[in-house]
Amino acid sequence: MADRIGQDAPLWLAEAIAQANIPTLACVLVQLTGDREWIEGRFVPTRTRGLDDNDDGGLPGALQDEIRAAATTAFAAWFEGRLPALANPDDALLVEMMSVSLGETIPASYAAMIRHELQLTEGQPAIDGAQDIAPPPGFRALIIGAGISGMCAAVQFAAAGIPYTILERRPDLGGVWFENRYPGAACDVPSHLYSFSYAPYEWSRYFAGSREIHAYLQDVADRFDIRRHIRFGLEVTEARWDADAGEWQADVIDADGNSETLTASMILSGVGAFNKPRLPDIPGMDRFEGPSVHTARYPEDGIELAGKKVVLVGNGASAMQVGPAIVDSVVSLTVVNRTPQWVAPFPKFKQAIPEALQHLMQTMPLYRLWYRLRLSWAFNDKQYEALRQDPDWDGQGKSINAINDSHRRGLTAYMTAQLGERQDLLPDMIPSYPPFGKRMLLDNGWYRMLAQPHVEYVNGAVTEVLPNAIVTSDGTTHEADAIIWATGFDVVNLLAPMRVVGLDGRDLHGDWDGDDARAYLGTTVPGYPNFFCLYGPNTQYGHGGSLISVLERQMHYVMSLLRQMFAKGIATIDVRQDVHDAYNAKVDETHAGLVWTYPGVDGYVRNSKGRIVVNNPFRILDMWRMTDTADLDDYHVTRERVSA
């Protein structure tokens, strides 16, 4: 088998396999041929390190050639109609294949999740809404926001036959990917993970830029006929529950000040968290004479920065993308930052996906799904153990357990090497807090940028803005023709400024005490019947994962609720206070043992009370199980009214 060349295969297929990921090819070969040889003995790959794809599997060239030759033959046969020998491997083999392909032991408890991700779960359609859901006459949904969350909900509602309308305040869909168009804007999650599981795409890069992601969302909207359901230019100012009518009322206003009230059986909030830019309150900001913009409000036609003196404030994910993207065109770049970040290697930064491989991803789902599954582990629970505080570990405030300390040593060595001759900057680069205490960043060439002679790094803050300069906390004045504020977002005041009024006139922001948002599974809140949040409180994974995977799982849970409601003639559901409170107590209890509550760790995930309101403290597997099937016993329910 291994010596067959498959010369009749199309040229593009041979080219694609020559560029494909070896461990992924081996897994596909096992399914296509039924032969375990490809995951045993001499073909076992080395362990995947960090975020690297381990494309060659660490195998000698001759063994790689054997795998590619066998894959060319087997793939060509599949394209000609031959069915896989193992169309649906058992759980033990799936876990073994996954483990071997990554070079580490994956617990057997992940079997169901692996099966689901490979779309092998019997009777489970790709879109949850397509299975056994029949909404009652007159049931309709309002979705607030036409970003990724709103589109995720729209696909499910359409499949279930639920009439829906999306209200979007912007003139176009896409949410943050419509707004974020600053230089270098891109996603730090692999493109094939940052995609809906049911809507693959021919990505041009392994990590897509913002414009390509926006184009993808436009494509999804067209594929699923979403656009005609969107009313653009409408902002929801207030949503009220009408107990007598058993429905929601939503007050909306357009850009001209015209108002309207809409009604619906349910509301789903898809407004997200990264939609309210956070600008510091600094004296003189209004008198700066040049361009001064937040990254999330970067003008569509850009800013002319060539030959200019530019100040970049911040060094989070946005700054790390902006700086290297503009450094070669500006006459000087001053980076002002107060807190250093942990930064990891970025092996496939700006790396293009060859066209033949793009085509293979699109035309052979088995390869794409295995490739996506392997990626998910690096951006999944693989890192979870590094988040746990070990009470017996003495990391002197700089690490929380042995694994976390190993990350610290490795990241420090990498960052030190990247600074090259600018070792004088090292003390300002290495964080004093443990790895993962803040969002782990990927290196877009940040340190190589800092090492350039026309770049100045200021460890401090901007204390004043002058007409043509800024003043930093050390008292130094820095000339500036343009200022780019990469200062993040207000993510703790969820749903603001929209007002949400529930049972008996209760106000959601009052219940949340402003920035102390809580929800059951990040999705439902007591006292607000038939109201659902996507990307709600405590839904962001601090150790990895794709936002789209989180949203799909939340919608899986919402559709489980709706399926049962419709089948049992239930008009409204309202999560029980005790269920909600017990879940959030568990959230806080678990957080107490993780890195984000460790002394010296601070960041945007905490609210003004010190509580973690953004990050989810559980393993992705745990949340996957908790959201698998909704339990109506967790809810107060009301039945449909029976007409006289």
Side-chain angles (χ1 to χ4, degrees):
M1 174 178 60
D3 61 353
R4 291 177 59 188
I5 305 300
Q7 295 182 0
D8 294 331
L11 290 177
W12 75 263
L13 179 57
E15 183 180 350
I17 289 176
Q19 300 157 340
N21 177 273
I22 285 289
T24 303
L25 288 178
C27 290
V28 178
L29 271 172
V30 171
Q31 281 200 249
L32 291 181
T33 66
D35 192 339
R36 291 176 48 93
E37 171 189 8
W38 307 109
I39 58 168
E40 295 178 338
R42 60 200 182 104
F43 292 114
V44 172
T46 58
R47 184 172 183 265
T48 299
R49 300 288 180 180
L51 302 179
D52 189 77
D53 285 352
N54 196 20
D55 281 331
D56 62 8
L59 298 177
L63 293 183
Q64 293 181 50
D65 290 343
E66 283 192 59
I67 292 173
R68 295 190 193 281
T72 302
T73 300
F75 283 35
W78 181 84
F79 276 108
E80 292 168 0
R82 183 180 298 172
L83 297 177
L86 292 174
N88 197 355
D90 61 31
D91 286 355
L93 180 55
L94 286 175
V95 172
E96 182 183 1
M97 292 163 71
M98 178 76 161
S99 298
V100 171
S101 74
L102 292 165
E104 59 185 284
T105 301
I106 307 299
S109 55
Y110 284 82
M113 193 171 170
I114 292 171
R115 181 173 296 283
H116 178 86
E117 292 300 312
L118 291 173
Q119 299 181 4
L120 296 174
T121 304
E122 187 175 352
Q124 180 66 49
I127 300 174
D128 291 302
Q131 184 182 41
D132 302 328
I133 296 183
F139 190 94
R140 58 200 180 280
L142 273 182
I143 300 171
I144 304 174
I148 293 177
S149 297
M151 293 177 64
C152 184
V155 170
Q156 297 290 351
F157 289 165
I162 298 173
Y164 72 91
T165 299
I166 302 179
L167 305 176
E168 171 54 56
R169 62 184 175 86
R170 305 171 187 85
D172 198 357
L173 59 83
V176 296
W177 297 112
F178 168 70
E179 292 184 333
N180 283 282
R181 53 185 71 242
Y182 56 83
C187 188
D188 57 6
V189 175
S191 303
H192 292 96
L193 276 183
Y194 205 77
S195 315
F196 294 110
S197 61
Y198 43 76
Y201 191 64
E202 287 198 36
W203 295 103
S204 69
R205 281 168 36 183
Y206 287 100
F207 291 80
S210 68
R211 296 305 85 208
E212 184 170 16
I213 296 173
H214 188 246
Y216 168 66
L217 297 175
Q218 298 272 10
D219 178 71
V220 171
D222 292 338
R223 273 193 263 177
F224 292 93
D225 194 25
I226 294 173
R227 202 180 306 273
R228 67 185 177 91
H229 296 273
I230 306 174
R231 295 186 61 183
F232 292 106
L234 290 182
E235 181 168 3
V236 179
T237 57
E238 179 174 300
R240 296 178 305 279
W241 175 250
D242 184 339
D244 292 333
E247 64 183 11
W248 282 93
Q249 297 178 346
D251 295 339
V252 301
I253 189 169
D254 66 16
D256 297 324
N258 301 309
S259 61
E260 181 181 358
T261 299
L262 306 174
T263 61
S265 311
M266 65 169 285
I267 284 182
L268 186 139
S269 168
V271 299
F274 291 86
N275 56 12
K276 296 182 287 292
R278 184 178 58 199
L279 276 170
D281 184 13
I282 299 172
M285 288 182 70
D286 58 345
R287 67 173 182 255
F288 186 72
E289 295 177 354
S292 176
V293 299
H294 190 281
T295 51
R297 297 293 181 262
Y298 209 84
E300 186 173 357
D301 54 357
I303 299 173
E304 181 53 61
L305 298 177
K308 301 292 180 65
K309 298 173 182 177
V310 179
V311 169
L312 175 62
V313 184
N315 80 333
S318 299
M320 189 156 288
Q321 293 176 345
V322 171
I326 67 173
V327 68
D328 292 333
S329 63
V330 301
V331 69
S332 70
L333 178 62
T334 302
V335 179
V336 184
N337 170 65
R338 290 181 297 182
T339 308
Q341 304 271 18
W342 285 112
V343 180
F346 198 174
K348 288 193 170 177
F349 174 54
K350 285 191 174 181
Q351 188 170 330
I353 303 173
E355 289 187 12
L357 193 53
Q358 291 180 36
H359 189 58
L360 180 66
M361 293 276 196
Q362 282 294 96
T363 56
M364 191 171 196
L366 195 56
Y367 179 86
R368 174 178 56 81
L369 291 171
W370 268 108
Y371 179 74
R372 174 184 163 107
L373 178 64
R374 290 186 70 258
L375 284 177
S376 71
W377 184 247
F379 288 81
N380 196 304
D381 288 343
K382 175 180 180 178
Q383 308 295 349
Y384 189 75
E385 291 305 315
L387 310 181
R388 294 181 188 267
Q389 298 181 30
D390 180 352
D392 297 324
W393 177 260
D394 182 13
Q396 301 180 351
K398 297 181 179 181
S399 61
I400 58 173
N401 61 39
I403 298 173
N404 189 272
D405 193 63
S406 176
H407 281 291
R408 181 181 184 88
R409 294 194 306 273
L411 294 170
T412 299
Y414 171 77
M415 294 157 69
T416 301
Q418 290 299 303
L419 280 172
E421 296 181 357
R422 291 303 311 271
Q423 294 299 302
D424 58 299
L425 293 174
L426 189 61
D428 290 335
M429 295 295 109
I430 304 301
S432 60
Y433 57 85
F436 301 99
K438 293 179 184 288
R439 179 183 177 185
M440 186 69 68
L441 303 182
L442 301 184
D443 185 12
N444 290 348
W446 182 254
Y447 301 105
R448 294 190 298 277
M449 175 203 76
L450 291 177
Q452 295 197 40
H454 66 299
V455 177
E456 180 181 7
Y457 181 84
V458 180
N459 184 5
V462 178
T463 57
E464 185 181 4
V465 179
L466 305 176
N468 301 104
I470 57 117
V471 181
T472 50
S473 48
D474 60 359
T476 304
T477 298
H478 306 266
E479 293 184 11
D481 300 315
I483 305 174
I484 299 175
W485 302 92
T487 48
F489 297 84
D490 174 9
V491 299
V492 294
N493 288 289
L494 273 76
L495 303 187
M498 177 178 68
R499 185 166 184 250
V500 181
V501 181
L503 291 172
D504 302 320
R506 63 194 298 173
D507 177 83
L508 184 59
H509 293 294
D511 287 347
W512 282 350
D513 192 17
D515 64 357
D516 197 14
R518 302 167 190 254
Y520 178 55
L521 300 176
T523 307
T524 58
V525 184
Y528 300 86
N530 291 12
F531 184 86
F532 307 92
C533 298
L534 291 192
Y535 202 13
N538 297 115
T539 53
Q540 176 172 293
Y541 292 109
H543 61 293
S546 163
L547 169 62
I548 292 182
S549 297
V550 172
L551 299 176
E552 285 195 25
R553 204 59 194 173
Q554 281 189 275
M555 279 308 301
H556 176 86
Y557 179 81
V558 170
M559 298 314 289
S560 177
L561 280 171
L562 294 177
R563 182 179 296 110
Q564 295 178 69
M565 286 175 62
F566 299 159
K568 297 180 180 181
I570 293 171
T572 68
I573 58 167
D574 181 18
V575 67
R576 288 166 35 196
Q577 188 75 48
D578 62 317
V579 171
H580 167 274
D581 292 351
Y583 171 79
N584 281 280
K586 184 65 174 176
V587 166
D588 293 345
E589 177 190 347
T590 308
H591 265 309
L594 298 180
V595 65
W596 304 297
T597 57
Y598 191 69
V601 174
D602 197 7
Y604 72 83
V605 301
R606 286 177 179 262
N607 65 9
S608 61
K609 293 90 175 166
R611 181 174 174 271
I612 308 299
V613 296
V614 176
N615 284 2
N616 187 295
F618 306 119
R619 294 181 305 167
I620 293 175
L621 176 64
D622 298 328
M623 284 303 296
W624 193 84
R625 288 171 168 170
M626 283 189 268
T627 54
D628 192 36
T629 303
D631 185 350
L632 284 184
D633 288 341
D634 292 338
Y635 291 82
H636 299 297
V637 304
T638 63
R639 303 287 171 178
E640 295 279 9
R641 290 185 176 87
V642 179
S643 302

